[in-house]
Amino acid sequence: MDVVSLYASIPQREAAKVVASFFTDNRAKIRQELQDAGVWRTPSKETLEEAILHVMRDTLLQFEGRAYRQTNGTTIGASSSVAIAEIFVHLVFESKRSHRKDGPAVYFRYIDDIFGIMEDGFPRLEGFFSWSNQFMKT
């Protein structure tokens, strides 16, 4: 399965909050990597949230000679979009998925691509598939 239009459908403000919280919650685990990259003082959660929103909202793209500003989802073509999407899906989608009883017996996910084995037939698969593509609305 594939979560439809994941990058374009991630809500910017919620994603910024989720990713900033994730970074803050895991600061101790990444402190050395930050220092190795030349960041000696880790930014506050609020600063991270603003920076993520800036990358998502204030990046311009050009198509056929016209400039466009991204208003929904993650930034097209930005390497940060993959990290934002992965953290967002991991925390938001997986927390909701873990409470469902109709999920696959075997389940693997890579960002928005899902591989699973359903044991109870097509109706159960169809229900999970439908929910997967609507999880932000639930």
Side-chain angles (χ1 to χ4, degrees):
M1 296 185 343
D2 184 79
V3 178
V4 174
S5 301
L6 172 67
Y7 292 93
S9 64
I10 291 176
Q12 293 178 339
R13 181 147 309 272
E14 184 179 355
K17 285 180 185 295
V18 167
V19 173
S21 292
F22 179 80
F23 180 86
T24 302
D25 294 346
N26 293 284
R27 185 174 286 160
K29 295 177 185 173
I30 59 175
R31 187 175 310 276
Q32 188 59 52
E33 284 111 7
L34 289 171
Q35 288 179 351
D36 291 347
V39 179
W40 296 101
R41 210 173 92 212
T42 55
S44 69
K45 182 178 174 182
E46 293 76 22
T47 300
L48 282 170
E49 190 174 326
E50 280 304 311
I52 293 164
L53 277 172
H54 173 69
V55 168
M56 291 176 74
R57 289 183 173 167
D58 298 330
T59 301
L60 299 177
L61 62 107
Q62 185 176 346
F63 179 72
E64 293 185 351
R66 295 183 65 182
Y68 296 89
R69 180 175 177 230
Q70 184 100 16
T71 58
N72 294 316
T74 58
T75 307
I76 295 171
S79 58
S80 61
S81 294
V82 176
I84 291 167
E86 175 58 27
I87 292 168
F88 184 79
V89 171
H90 175 71
L91 294 175
V92 177
F93 180 81
E94 291 300 333
S95 68
K96 291 181 180 184
R97 182 194 64 83
S98 67
H99 291 59
R100 294 187 60 88
K101 299 195 184 322
D102 67 344
V106 174
Y107 177 86
F108 297 99
R109 182 188 56 78
Y110 178 73
I111 306 175
D112 63 339
D113 298 316
I114 298 169
F115 172 82
I117 298 174
M118 299 296 271
E119 295 178 331
D120 296 335
F122 190 74
R124 186 170 173 168
L125 171 64
E126 196 171 46
F128 184 76
F129 180 77
S130 177
W131 172 82
S132 296
N133 285 309
Q134 301 293 320
F135 86 93
M136 283 305 303
K137 297 175 186 169
T138 59

